[in-house]
Amino acid sequence: MLQEGLLEKVILCAKEAGAFIRKERLDFSYQKVEIKGLNDLVSYVDKRAEAMIVKSLQEILPEAGFIVEENTKSEKRTYNWIVDPLDGTTNFIHGVPCYAVSVALEHEGKIILGVVYEVSRDECFYAEKSKGAFLNGATIKVSSRQTLSESLIATGFPIYNFSRLDDYFAALKHFMQHTHGIRRIGAAAADLCYLACGRVDAFFEYNLNPWDVAAGALIVLEAGGTACDFSGKNNWLFGKEISCTNSLLDAEFNAVIRNSF
Ligand code: IPD
Ligand code: CA
Ligand code: CA
């Protein structure tokens, strides 16, 4: 049984890291960027934000393990924090205003709590399993659009794993011709939260890691949406492919994904 007030503490922790990220952006320069791999960027901001978040979460729930993007290593435990300290690093580095802190708590393979703090818009999205989804205190719901022809789609373009590019282009081609358009926001956690609050109607991406999707996907599910992998199965957390919709678009959207990939 989890402690009372856990969610509030996690929200505070995400906002503290967000305040640090916001402050560092003010005089951030490209000289501070390190290259992890092809188009895979990082800086001290990601690493220090991660250290801050991990320290706070260790105090909040000492028995939990960590699955975290940058430096923190830990064995898997009964409860595990899944953390992306700065989702949207490329946006952050180039000064494009959409990047977020993403914190989720996993228990027995399920995400039971998720917080996504979108730093530049000061938007805090959060959910606990079976308790609904919220944005800055107000309940959020997915959109009620029923056809692809009236929908806006979010995705992330591949930046270093091009192994499925032809399949990806096939899906893009269909969505370009049969929807209101496609958005590449640049932070998967934000893509998912924008779906949860009805700004976009469906989202898909391959090659994401658990820390990119854990919190945001719970928020989608709690806002009335759906999440699956590209075969329509449930392996979206560790399976490196995710497709989410407002639920009403499930059949039409996932058929395009299945036929493309
Ligand atoms: C990235 C963002 C982006 C997605 C990338 C992710 P990062 O995370 O979520 O939208 O397309 O594949 O790696 O590296 O900024 O934490
Ligand atoms: Ca990320
Ligand atoms: Ca990151």
Side-chain angles (χ1 to χ4, degrees), residues 5-6 19 30 41 43 51 55 128 151 175 191 232 245 256-257:
L6 183 81
Y30 194 73
L41 313 177
S43 80
K55 186 168 179 287
E128 284 177 285
S151 297
F175 294 136
D191 289 316
T245 81
V256 178
I257 298 292

Side-chain angles (χ1 to χ4, degrees), residues 25-26 92 113 132 159:
R25 180 54 240 172
L26 296 175
F92 174 84
L113 177 154
I159 51 171

Side-chain angles (χ1 to χ4, degrees), residues 112-211:
I112 56 172
L113 177 154
V115 175
V116 173
Y117 180 55
E118 209 276 80
V119 178
S120 29
R121 286 172 59 101
D122 189 24
E123 290 191 323
C124 191
F125 298 86
Y126 50 91
E128 284 177 285
K129 197 162 169 36
S130 310
K131 293 189 181 173
F134 301 86
L135 162 55
N136 289 348
T139 300
I140 51 172
K141 291 261 168 266
V142 290
S143 73
S144 52
R145 277 179 273 273
Q146 301 194 11
T147 62
L148 272 187
S149 62
E150 54 174 3
S151 297
L152 189 61
I153 309 303
T155 186
F157 303 145
I159 51 171
Y160 56 82
N161 177 340
F162 304 118
S163 58
R164 306 175 85 182
L165 218 46
D166 289 344
D167 301 347
Y168 185 75
F169 285 152
L172 282 190
K173 187 173 178 188
H174 186 94
F175 294 136
M176 276 178 190
Q177 297 177 100
H178 295 95
T179 68
H180 279 179
I182 304 167
R183 294 291 176 271
R184 198 300 189 231
I185 293 165
D191 289 316
L192 289 162
C193 291
Y194 285 15
L195 168 54
C197 69
R199 293 175 189 163
V200 300
D201 308 293
F203 166 72
F204 75 108
E205 187 164 346
Y206 77 85
N207 202 40
L208 289 175
N209 287 297
W211 46 78

Side-chain angles (χ1 to χ4, degrees), residues 22-38:
R22 187 181 297 116
K23 183 167 111 343
E24 294 309 308
R25 180 54 240 172
L26 296 175
D27 62 355
F28 189 81
S29 84
Y30 194 73
Q31 274 64 47
K32 296 171 180 168
V33 174
E34 296 163 40
I35 311 289
K36 285 199 282 190
L38 175 66

Side-chain angles (χ1 to χ4, degrees), residues 63-83:
E63 67 267 34
F66 285 90
I67 300 170
V68 179
E69 183 170 17
E70 306 302 342
N71 294 325
T72 310
K73 298 276 170 284
S74 107
E75 78 275 20
K76 200 158 183 308
R77 304 223 177 120
T78 310
Y79 288 92
N80 296 282
W81 294 110
I82 305 184
V83 180

Side-chain angles (χ1 to χ4, degrees), residues 69 84 86-88 211-212:
E69 183 170 17
D84 190 337
L86 175 47
D87 184 46
W211 46 78
D212 299 309

